[in-house]
Amino acid sequence: MEVSGLPVELWQLILSYLRLPDLGRCSLVCRAWYELVLSLDKTRWRQLCLGCLEHRHPNWPNQPSVEPRSWREAFKQHYLASKTWTKNTQDLESSKCLSLFRRRKGRRQLCIGAAGEFSSLRAALAAASPYDCLVLLPGVHEEQGEVLLKVPVEVVGQGNLGDVALLASIDQHCPTARLCNMVFMPARFTSVLYKTTSGYVQFDNCNFESGQLQIHAPGTCQVKFCTFSQSSIHLRSMALCVLENCEFTGSENASVTVEGCPSSDRNWACKHLAVLAKSCTASMGEPDPAGCPMAKQDGWGESLLGPVRTCEIVVGEERSSFLSAVGARALLGLAQEETEFRENLRAAKEEEYPALNSNSSDSDLHSDDEEDAQAVYKLPYQAHSLSHTLADVTHSRLQSNRLHALQRDLKLKSLQQELQQDKEAQSLANSLQGCIIRQCLFRDGKGGIFIYARGQAKLEGSIFRDLTYAVRCIQNSKVIMLRNDIHHCKASGIFLRLSAGGLIADNNIHSNCEAGVDIRKGANPLVLCNKIHSGLRSGIVVVGNGKGIIRSNQIYGNKEAGIYILYNGNPAVSGNHIFQGLAAGIAVNENGRGQITGNIICENQWGGVDIRHGGDPVLRNNLISCGYSDGMVVGEHGKGLIEGNVIYGNKGCGVWMMSSSLPHLINNEISHNSIYGVAVFCRKDHAGDYSHGQGRSESFQEEREGAGGENDSDSEEDYPAAQRPISVALVELNSINHNGAAGLHVKSSEALNIIANVIHANRDDGVAVLQSSQLTCIANNSISCNSREGVLVEAECQVELRGNGIYENSSHGIVSKGEGVIAENDIIGNHRCGLQLLQAADMKVTKNRIQSFWDYGIALLDEAKGLVQENLIFQGTSKKSILRPMSNAEDCIIQNNMLLTFKKRFDMECMLINPPARPHIEGGTPESCTAADGQRVSSITTRVDGGCHNHGSIFCTIL
């Protein structure tokens, strides 16, 4: 009959009454009938799938309310899996068609029970032939001794699950067997419910209560749609076994224990299990966001903080889907604010700092001829060695473009992208070896899965909740975890130690009482593309020589550090988004190390990165922004190489350092932070010390004791920073601009080197040295356009200022009340004095080029003393040069200084040529600054011979 003869709806109604064999025959009639049979997916195929007593809902136990993509496909997978146990006979290899003529022995059905042929399972097995079906009638069946299974049979419980209970201990000695639709309970003499050491066993739709399954290689098993209540499985040296759609509850120890390296002696069933595992992987595909439990509001969408906001950063007109709207508004506001700040800077500060002499002709800073006068006397200093960096700083569009590029480069990668680029991760994700656990539920017990002694397991699409721990992997074992949900564990969610490894990817790990992932004792896993959030402690902990690659994860909303590294932990942390943490984004403590590169760290309550107590990481190319405290904290005895990072828009300081720390800050962009750009303090910082809080429940005592002697032999090769130790904290080649207070604030009891930085347009002093009991070296920096002094040195401070360019600051160029050397600097165009020495200052001022437009070039006031010699002073409109003290003239030596007065504009353009405008960075000969302990910090200087030859128009006076 033609299909078109009846409406499709009527055909579907008729075919919905057919049994499975009849549906198969109809599908073979023609393509139209085949498509008609396929169209019954949500009706007849659904009825057949749910009506089979050997199976349960395809998405049980995790998502029983979510329909599969295809009921027919789910039914097909169930049917094929149920027949695996019969495939142990070898087909004739000479010709496949010969199997059609093989004589098939009929299977008998033997009933066991009060109304059956046999009264006990033991009696039925004695009479059974291979592949017979033994049916247990409803009731309780108890065997007094161990039952030996010597022939391959199928044991099925009649009725619904729970109608048949079997109290027995079964030992399998045959190559294959299947048990289905019954409740297993332990016999009185043992807790072992079933064991095999050589054969294959298949469990479908069974309940196991208060007992244990033992499967030893070369034996193997397939367990599907089973419930384990206070029961467990022990797997030893499994080459391949499969656990699917099972529920484990109330375990007193680990629900699944995987022991030993996968055996090379493979059971006959392994190849069939591999085919089934691959087909199930293909059918699983990507999880449905609407139905996946990990996508529900209490999983992905909500943390302990409440709903997680949709995150985006806005700079200009482009968007990146990570930083929150709060951060976006902050960044955008700061970019717009930059232009307004520069325009209003001069007027605001002129009111704050009146002229020294109110009666002088230059006291009115708002005259109509100001711009013209400045144009005549302005020295062209813009061509110094750091001018390219300064140009980027002064143009908000260039800064916005840099942020755009950085966000684009740091965009979070998907797991598919990671696997395409990382062949090792791809190989692990595709491996089929050891124990494969899929779509299972582990809940309300002590442990989920325990893997040890080189065991191997692969976990996919499972849920672990309300356990003491979800997964423990130790002793050179390997775990592969894909798309699992791990939450509300009483300890760490995933625990790896003793050289364990594997792949942890695309999991949702949240709301655990300890760390989401705990890596210790040489463990070295790949942790990729996970969501690790809302933990009551840290997101990831790397302890005691733990390693690992931590990449492309979202880590947010944890009560302690997003990533916490200590006791020689040395992971590679890259491409992660770490945000909205209630403590630091990344904390490196107690001699922790690590390569931390290319991460976005934002909106954390404490420092974006916190380094203390011997922590010595390498931080490169990270975006640390919009934090509610400091961008980066280097606490007591912290170290590390901090290079190429953007530290932007934090509510505290950009970088907060203790003077006892030894970091190397190089080539960072530190801008638009609410307080200081870089602050160095000498006070002790017990507050927020992680080492006293992180290990309350799970002690780090073992790692603490072994930290000194367990360094890896290849640590020097793996850790570049260890090859170039520094003995003085070094701030070098950074751009420190547009911060809310001083660009660099120093209250230090240790030596400090500040070399070749651009310090620009900060809302207080460029560099403020308020306490410096040892030498602070400030060399070859560009310090310009700051709202107060370029450099401020308070009393009793020791400083050396050499080779700096100090330009157009809103107050004095340099104000010093301390001791030291000011040599070979260009102090040009500042709004008040070029150099002012106050109180008991004792400075050696030599070979500087100084110009002040409105005030004295050099002013010595109060009890200031020292040597002022061989300086070149360009006169401004005020015609003021040096103001010397009258009371202590004998203690203040002023000699061999030159005063230059200009008659032509061309003269001005020639003045900063020989040598060119400072600072000098590129070129030939090094110009050194020597710290208190003898450490030499060199910057490259170029000397340009020649210069202006029109000397006739310059009037030089030897003062």
Side-chain angles (χ1 to χ4, degrees):
M1 181 182 290
E2 292 293 334
V3 173
S4 58
L6 290 175
V8 174
E9 292 80 6
L10 189 55
W11 275 119
Q12 290 176 343
L13 179 61
I14 295 171
L15 295 179
S16 67
Y17 290 96
L18 298 183
R19 296 186 306 155
L20 179 62
D22 298 327
L23 283 176
R25 296 185 186 99
C26 289
S27 66
L28 298 176
V29 173
C30 62
R31 177 170 293 277
W33 281 66
Y34 174 74
E35 293 177 354
L36 188 61
V37 171
L38 290 184
S39 70
L40 304 175
D41 188 77
K42 295 187 182 300
T43 54
R44 185 55 179 159
W45 288 112
R46 183 178 185 277
Q47 293 173 356
L48 290 171
C49 191
L50 295 179
C52 182
L53 295 179
E54 299 179 359
H55 311 138
R56 302 191 194 185
H57 191 286
N59 290 323
W60 183 89
N62 293 336
Q63 307 172 59
S65 61
V66 178
E67 293 195 354
R69 293 182 177 180
S70 169
W71 286 98
R72 175 182 172 277
E73 184 64 27
F75 185 79
K76 175 184 174 182
Q77 294 296 333
H78 295 340
Y79 179 82
L80 292 176
S82 68
K83 301 302 179 185
T84 303
W85 76 283
T86 63
K87 298 178 180 179
N88 67 313
T89 56
Q90 298 294 323
D91 293 333
L92 295 175
E93 297 181 359
S94 58
S95 176
K96 294 294 183 183
C97 66
L98 291 179
S99 62
L100 299 174
F101 301 98
R102 182 185 305 146
R103 182 176 179 182
R104 297 185 180 181
K105 185 176 182 180
R107 295 180 60 199
R108 295 184 300 164
Q109 180 171 302
L110 309 179
C111 295
I112 304 168
E117 306 168 42
F118 300 92
S119 60
S120 68
L121 177 61
R122 191 187 307 274
L125 287 172
S129 300
Y131 304 102
D132 282 346
C133 179
L134 280 60
V135 179
L136 292 174
L137 300 179
V140 177
H141 302 262
E142 183 176 4
E143 300 293 333
Q144 298 302 320
E146 187 175 66
V147 178
L148 299 181
L149 205 60
K150 297 182 179 180
V151 293
V153 294
E154 181 179 31
V155 183
V156 179
Q158 189 181 72
N160 297 320
L161 180 61
D163 292 345
V164 176
L166 177 62
L167 282 70
S169 176
I170 301 175
D171 188 358
Q172 178 181 333
H173 290 265
C174 57
T176 183
R178 179 174 183 251
L179 297 97
C180 175
N181 200 42
M182 65 183 74
V183 177
F184 286 86
M185 295 181 179
R188 293 185 176 90
F189 54 89
T190 180
S191 62
V192 177
L193 301 173
Y194 197 100
K195 64 181 178 182
T196 181
T197 57
S198 60
Y200 165 79
V201 60
Q202 182 171 331
F203 295 98
D204 289 319
N205 197 34
C206 293
N207 286 357
F208 300 92
E209 297 184 2
S210 304
Q212 185 183 74
L213 305 184
Q214 295 181 354
I215 315 295
H216 298 176
T220 186
C221 66
Q222 178 183 354
V223 184
K224 197 165 184 178
F225 297 110
C226 292
T227 297
F228 291 78
S229 178
Q230 298 182 339
S231 299
S232 62
I233 306 179
H234 189 104
L235 306 166
R236 180 177 296 172
S237 302
M238 287 290 98
L240 182 62
C241 67
V242 177
L243 278 64
E244 288 186 287
N245 299 94
C246 293
E247 181 180 19
F248 296 82
T249 63
S251 62
E252 296 180 357
N253 293 296
S255 296
V256 179
T257 300
V258 182
E259 174 192 0
C261 181
S263 173
S264 58
D265 185 7
R266 299 176 71 89
N267 189 287
W268 65 267
C270 288
K271 65 178 182 179
H272 301 288
L273 292 176
V275 172
L276 282 173
K278 289 179 182 178
S279 64
C280 289
T281 300
S283 64
M284 282 176 65
E286 292 297 323
D288 182 7
C292 179
M294 294 184 291
K296 294 181 180 178
Q297 286 298 312
D298 59 348
W300 297 105
E302 208 168 292
S303 68
L304 295 179
L305 302 174
V308 175
R309 294 165 290 182
T310 302
C311 293
E312 61 182 16
I313 183 168
V314 181
V315 181
E317 296 180 356
E318 297 182 15
R319 294 171 182 262
S320 171
S321 59
F322 181 70
L323 295 180
S324 74
V326 174
R329 288 193 296 272
L331 292 175
L332 183 58
L334 288 170
Q336 295 171 343
E337 191 178 299
E338 180 179 334
T339 304
E340 300 174 7
F341 166 69
R342 286 181 53 79
E343 293 174 354
N344 299 329
L345 180 63
R346 181 172 301 169
K349 292 305 174 182
E350 282 170 352
E351 296 177 5
E352 185 175 349
Y353 302 104
L356 283 176
N357 183 3
S358 60
N359 297 322
S360 64
S361 60
D362 59 337
S363 62
D364 182 9
L365 300 181
H366 299 281
S367 65
D368 296 335
D369 299 329
E370 177 183 358
E371 293 185 3
D372 294 338
Q374 286 185 343
V376 173
Y377 287 92
K378 186 174 182 179
L379 293 177
Y381 61 84
Q382 288 82 2
H384 59 76
S385 298
L386 294 176
S387 58
H388 62 287
T389 304
L390 187 60
D392 292 345
V393 167
T394 55
H395 290 84
S396 60
R397 181 172 294 277
L398 291 175
Q399 283 196 300
S400 298
N401 290 341
R402 181 176 181 185
L403 280 174
H404 282 310
L406 185 62
Q407 293 165 60
R408 182 176 60 251
D409 295 342
L410 301 183
K411 184 178 180 181
L412 201 67
K413 293 180 181 178
S414 67
L415 179 59
Q416 183 178 4
Q417 290 172 323
E418 286 286 356
L419 296 181
Q420 288 174 350
Q421 297 175 7
D422 191 331
K423 299 303 179 184
E424 179 186 359
Q426 187 179 72
S427 175
L428 287 170
N430 295 331
S431 66
L432 292 174
Q433 195 173 23
C435 178
I436 297 176
I437 301 173
R438 282 206 180 104
Q439 295 180 300
C440 293
L441 172 62
F442 298 80
R443 63 178 178 87
D444 302 315
K446 181 177 180 180
I449 299 172
F450 180 43
I451 311 161
Y452 72 104
R454 301 178 65 193
Q456 185 166 329
K458 183 175 183 179
L459 321 177
E460 291 185 78
S462 297
I463 294 178
F464 301 80
R465 62 177 173 85
D466 298 304
L467 305 165
T468 301
Y469 66 87
V471 177
R472 287 188 179 242
C473 184
I474 66 172
Q475 296 175 349
N476 297 99
S477 298
K478 187 180 294 183
V479 62
I480 300 160
M481 302 185 66
L482 302 173
R483 296 183 294 277
N484 301 283
D485 194 359
I486 300 166
H487 61 94
H488 292 96
C489 293
K490 297 178 180 64
S492 297
I494 303 170
F495 189 95
L496 301 102
R497 67 184 298 171
L498 298 174
S499 301
L503 172 65
I504 301 170
D506 205 17
N507 302 283
N508 185 27
I509 305 170
H510 66 95
S511 307
N512 298 291
C513 293
E514 294 288 337
V517 181
D518 191 316
I519 303 170
R520 309 184 182 210
K521 296 283 187 180
N524 190 18
L526 279 166
V527 184
L528 308 179
C529 304
N530 302 281
K531 287 192 174 183
I532 304 173
H533 62 98
S534 308
L536 301 183
R537 303 298 291 273
S538 297
I540 299 176
V541 171
V542 186
V543 189
N545 293 295
K547 298 180 182 178
I549 295 174
I550 302 169
R551 197 166 64 224
S552 298
N553 302 280
Q554 291 188 51
I555 304 172
Y556 60 93
N558 298 288
K559 278 197 172 181
E560 294 187 2
I563 298 177
Y564 188 37
I565 306 168
L566 69 166
Y567 297 119
N568 290 314
N570 190 17
V573 181
S574 63
N576 302 282
H577 290 178
I578 305 169
F579 61 102
Q580 294 180 13
L582 301 184
I586 298 177
V588 187
N589 207 335
E590 302 294 347
N591 301 308
R593 299 185 293 169
Q595 303 278 338
I596 302 169
T597 59
N599 303 280
I600 292 181
I601 306 170
C602 76
E603 294 188 22
N604 296 286
Q605 294 289 335
W606 293 6
V609 177
D610 194 298
I611 306 169
R612 304 171 191 247
H613 300 296
D616 193 8
V618 173
L619 284 99
R620 284 196 178 99
N621 304 325
N622 302 282
L623 173 59
I624 304 171
S625 67
C626 302
Y628 296 103
S629 183
D630 305 313
M632 182 177 296
V633 174
V634 186
E636 185 178 6
H637 304 302
K639 303 177 185 177
L641 174 63
I642 302 166
E643 180 180 6
N645 304 281
V646 174
I647 304 172
Y648 193 96
N650 298 284
K651 292 188 180 298
C653 304
V655 178
W656 189 99
M657 297 163 44
M658 276 197 68
S659 60
S660 61
S661 63
L662 288 175
H664 183 182
L665 270 75
I666 178 171
N667 199 29
N668 300 282
E669 171 82 20
I670 304 170
S671 64
H672 295 92
N673 300 286
S674 296
I675 311 181
Y676 308 112
V678 178
V680 184
F681 290 96
C682 58
R683 69 178 180 83
K684 202 166 182 61
D685 61 332
H686 286 304
D689 196 336
Y690 288 104
S691 64
H692 300 297
Q694 178 71 28
R696 287 194 300 266
S697 300
E698 194 157 9
S699 175
F700 292 138
Q701 183 63 33
E702 294 179 25
E703 287 73 13
R704 185 181 295 110
E705 292 172 353
E710 295 184 5
N711 291 328
D712 300 328
S713 61
D714 58 348
S715 61
E716 294 296 320
E717 290 76 7
D718 291 343
Y719 191 59
Q723 299 179 3
R724 49 176 187 280
I726 62 174
S727 56
V728 175
L730 178 58
V731 181
E732 178 183 17
L733 290 171
N734 302 282
S735 175
I736 305 171
N737 63 87
H738 297 94
N739 296 288
L744 210 154
H745 180 92
V746 180
K747 292 185 69 175
S748 174
S749 58
E750 304 291 339
L752 175 66
N753 292 329
I754 303 168
I755 311 296
N757 302 280
V758 170
I759 304 172
H760 175 79
N762 298 286
R763 298 199 174 189
D764 206 294
D765 305 310
V767 178
V769 184
L770 307 184
Q771 178 181 334
S772 178
S773 56
Q774 296 193 40
L775 183 64
T776 296
C777 177
I778 305 171
N780 298 320
N781 301 280
S782 172
I783 305 172
S784 62
C785 300
N786 297 285
S787 297
R788 297 185 66 177
E789 289 81 12
V791 179
L792 171 65
V793 181
E794 284 291 348
E796 301 182 358
C797 294
Q798 300 183 42
V799 297
E800 178 179 348
L801 284 94
R802 187 180 298 274
N804 301 284
I806 303 172
Y807 306 115
E808 290 194 13
N809 296 285
S810 295
S811 185
H812 308 288
I814 299 175
V815 174
S816 177
K817 304 173 187 176
E819 304 173 0
V821 176
I822 302 174
E824 300 180 9
N825 301 282
D826 286 345
I827 309 171
I828 306 295
N830 299 285
H831 291 190
R832 300 188 68 182
C833 296
L835 169 63
Q836 188 179 74
L837 304 182
L838 301 174
Q839 298 178 9
D842 186 1
M843 305 294 295
K844 181 179 180 181
V845 183
T846 62
K847 298 182 180 180
N848 300 283
R849 296 184 294 194
I850 304 173
Q851 183 212 33
S852 174
F853 185 72
W854 294 111
D855 215 319
Y856 289 98
I858 301 176
L860 293 88
L861 305 173
D862 304 327
E863 303 298 321
K865 59 184 178 180
L867 174 65
V868 180
Q869 174 178 287
E870 298 181 12
N871 298 285
L872 183 60
I873 302 175
F874 304 96
Q875 280 195 334
T877 58
S878 66
K879 307 301 181 183
K880 298 177 181 179
S881 54
I882 298 178
L883 175 64
R884 67 183 69 205
M886 301 304 295
S887 59
N888 61 335
E890 67 280 0
D891 295 328
C892 186
I893 302 173
I894 301 176
Q895 62 185 15
N896 299 331
N897 298 285
M898 289 192 297
L899 174 65
L900 274 67
T901 303
F902 301 97
K903 297 181 179 179
K904 298 180 181 179
R905 174 65 181 165
F906 180 74
D907 298 339
M908 304 294 294
E909 296 175 353
C910 297
M911 284 305 93
L912 297 183
I913 291 180
N914 185 19
R918 297 182 174 95
H920 305 148
I921 303 300
E922 300 175 356
T925 60
E927 189 172 295
S928 305
C929 174
T930 304
D933 63 349
Q935 178 191 8
R936 294 177 65 83
V937 182
S938 300
S939 58
I940 305 302
T941 304
T942 302
R943 297 290 185 183
V944 180
D945 296 328
C948 180
H949 301 284
N950 189 10
H951 297 291
S953 63
I954 303 177
F955 176 71
C956 300
T957 304
I958 305 299
L959 300 178

